[in-house]
Amino acid sequence: MEIEINNILVIGSNGQIGSVLTPALREIHGKSSVVASDIYKKQDNADGLFEILDATDFNVLENIVKKYAITQIYHLAAILSAKGEENPQLAWDVNVNSLMNVLEVSIKHNIKKVFYPSSIAVFGSNASLFNTPQNANLNPATIYGVSKVAGENLAQYYFLKYGLDVRSLRYPGIIGYQSLPGGGTTDYAVDIYHKAVSGDEFNCFLESDTRLPMIYMDDAIKATISLMEASPECIKVRTSYNLSGMSFSPEEIYLSIKKHYPNFKISYKPDFRQNIANSWPRSIDDSSAKNDWNWKPSYDLKNMTRVMISKLSKRYKSA
Ligand code: NAD
Ligand code: AKB
């Protein structure tokens, strides 16, 4: 029997998801098979193979792919929704041109699988707000969403034209204790736990009743790995799969935290991110993911709050 050897490149490994996904991939495939990369170096990059990579530079990307005989790429590098609105040209350049580089290098060097994260930001006013279906019309209101729609279509195009096995998830807002978010509209739902655990009041940049789809980090990592390990015949959606874990508003997450910290206080001062949030779904229909590759989330708001508080309070105590 032929043993499959995977040499994996993670691009954007220092980010909120990459800092958790990279060690998870190293657990599965072995430390020497996973190369982390990002546009900058940080201290814990010494834990394994690491390369500085600006993914908009094709030549540097190609040299890394050749150097490590890469067979799979997880392309996480992006400019998220809030930062994207501050610099739309940068968002397009990083989000779309770096993906083109990844797709082109994959064709040239026979990469077997590519993971590309999309987002609930692909939806806009033409999609139903509740239980948004897989095949909803996509008219995003942000440059981030526009770039993700382009990315999803590029993923499908490279699959149809070249047979490149690109797989994708429309992540909702991701919440985890291990890392900090990088400039999105759902970032408040991570920050609120840090404020509660460190005894501070939380000032929220969204209105109290702005409900958004969210997912706990462990579920997001589980979904990513399950999708990438599913056999190719199961993958029926080649743009990007809707994915959901839970949905809640700032008031609902606040009340779930207040059960643990009765004196915790919140105030609301909506800013430009309110308009972004208003353009996104309130909840997502992820039945295609459930049917095609058995997706099933494990965490609801109550369980997530329990774990977030337990992990963060240990960290703050030992600091
Ligand atoms: P993040 O902003 O925390 O991390 C992105 C990483 O990419 C950063 O470490 C950054 O330094 C790096 N990067 C930026 N420009 C780069 C470049 N030119 N070359 C190489 N690296 C570069 O983002 P994240 O939350 O980890 O998100 C990862 C992916 O998942 C993104 O594509 C994002 O759109 C998608 N996503 C995230 C969420 C979420 O809630 N975190 C939700 C939906 C989709
Ligand atoms: C953001 O808020 O920009 C991200 C996302 C949902 O894509 N967390």
Side-chain angles (χ1 to χ4, degrees):
M1 197 177 74
E2 206 182 309
I3 298 170
E4 200 191 344
I5 297 179
N6 293 312
N7 291 327
I8 295 173
L9 175 63
V10 182
I11 304 176
S13 63
N14 288 346
Q16 189 197 5
I17 302 172
S19 339
V20 188
L21 183 61
T22 307
L25 290 170
R26 284 184 173 145
E27 262 312 297
I28 298 168
H29 299 276
K31 219 170 169 175
S32 59
S33 298
V34 179
V35 183
S37 71
D38 206 292
I39 200 162
Y40 74 99
K41 197 169 184 162
K42 63 177 185 179
Q43 222 171 11
D44 61 9
N45 292 142
D47 289 352
L49 297 168
F50 179 81
E51 294 282 342
I52 290 187
L53 165 64
D54 176 348
T56 62
D57 187 331
F58 182 84
N59 293 330
V60 178
L61 171 63
E62 184 175 38
N63 286 338
I64 293 171
V65 166
K66 287 199 283 196
K67 178 175 170 185
Y68 294 97
I70 294 297
T71 60
Q72 291 189 17
I73 299 180
Y74 287 71
H75 180 43
L76 307 177
I79 305 297
L80 277 76
S81 58
K83 274 198 184 162
E85 289 312 289
E86 285 160 7
N87 193 343
Q89 276 183 328
L90 177 71
W92 181 265
D93 189 31
V94 173
N95 298 3
V96 182
N97 295 336
S98 71
L99 174 63
M100 279 298 285
N101 286 343
V102 167
L103 296 170
E104 280 297 313
V105 89
S106 297
I107 298 302
K108 199 166 164 192
H109 294 280
N110 231 349
I111 299 290
K112 293 195 181 74
K113 270 188 224 172
V114 175
F115 176 72
Y116 167 68
S118 183
S119 162
I120 53 162
V122 293
F123 300 111
S125 57
N126 287 351
S128 45
L129 275 182
F130 295 92
N131 222 17
T132 309
Q134 178 66 48
N135 293 318
N137 186 299
L138 305 179
N139 67 328
T142 58
I143 187 68
Y144 175 64
V146 170
S147 71
K148 290 293 182 184
V149 173
E152 290 188 1
N153 282 302
L154 283 170
Q156 178 171 255
Y157 175 77
Y158 274 73
F159 172 71
L160 294 173
K161 187 166 167 98
Y162 302 105
L164 181 63
D165 191 354
V166 192
R167 303 179 182 198
S168 177
L169 296 172
R170 289 173 179 155
Y171 288 133
I174 299 178
I175 297 149
Y177 62 88
Q178 301 95 328
S179 48
L180 291 172
T185 304
T186 59
D187 293 16
Y188 90 85
V190 179
D191 299 340
I192 192 170
Y193 286 108
H194 286 266
K195 288 285 185 298
V197 170
S198 51
D200 294 330
E201 181 173 334
F202 181 62
N203 185 259
C204 187
F205 59 72
L206 295 182
E207 300 273 16
S208 62
D209 59 351
T210 311
R211 203 157 231 273
L212 288 172
M214 303 278 185
I215 194 168
Y216 182 54
M217 180 66 84
D218 282 19
D219 274 340
I221 300 296
K222 183 175 81 171
T224 308
I225 288 169
S226 307
L227 175 75
M228 289 300 273
E229 287 184 350
S231 65
E233 328 66 87
C234 298
I235 312 298
K236 307 257 168 37
V237 175
R238 285 295 179 171
T239 49
S240 188
Y241 275 98
N242 277 10
L243 186 78
S244 183
M246 60 189 95
S247 277
F248 56 76
S249 65
E251 187 68 7
E252 286 165 324
I253 190 173
Y254 166 68
L255 291 175
S256 88
I257 295 172
K258 207 170 147 62
K259 289 197 177 110
H260 300 257
Y261 294 97
N263 296 327
F264 182 43
K265 297 231 171 352
I266 190 167
S267 56
Y268 296 96
K269 198 167 177 234
D271 65 15
F272 74 100
R273 289 168 279 195
Q274 185 65 47
N275 281 341
I276 301 178
N278 289 347
S279 74
W280 290 353
R282 303 288 171 258
S283 57
I284 295 286
D285 172 8
D286 59 359
S287 47
S288 293
K290 285 177 171 143
N291 293 335
D292 292 358
W293 42 276
N294 296 323
W295 161 241
K296 190 168 179 273
S298 303
Y299 286 84
D300 59 12
L301 177 57
K302 190 175 163 197
N303 289 334
M304 179 174 79
T305 294
R306 189 177 39 76
V307 181
M308 286 294 288
I309 288 177
S310 147
K311 295 285 187 186
L312 287 178
S313 51
K314 272 187 206 132
R315 188 190 306 164
Y316 278 89
K317 262 180 213 141
S318 68

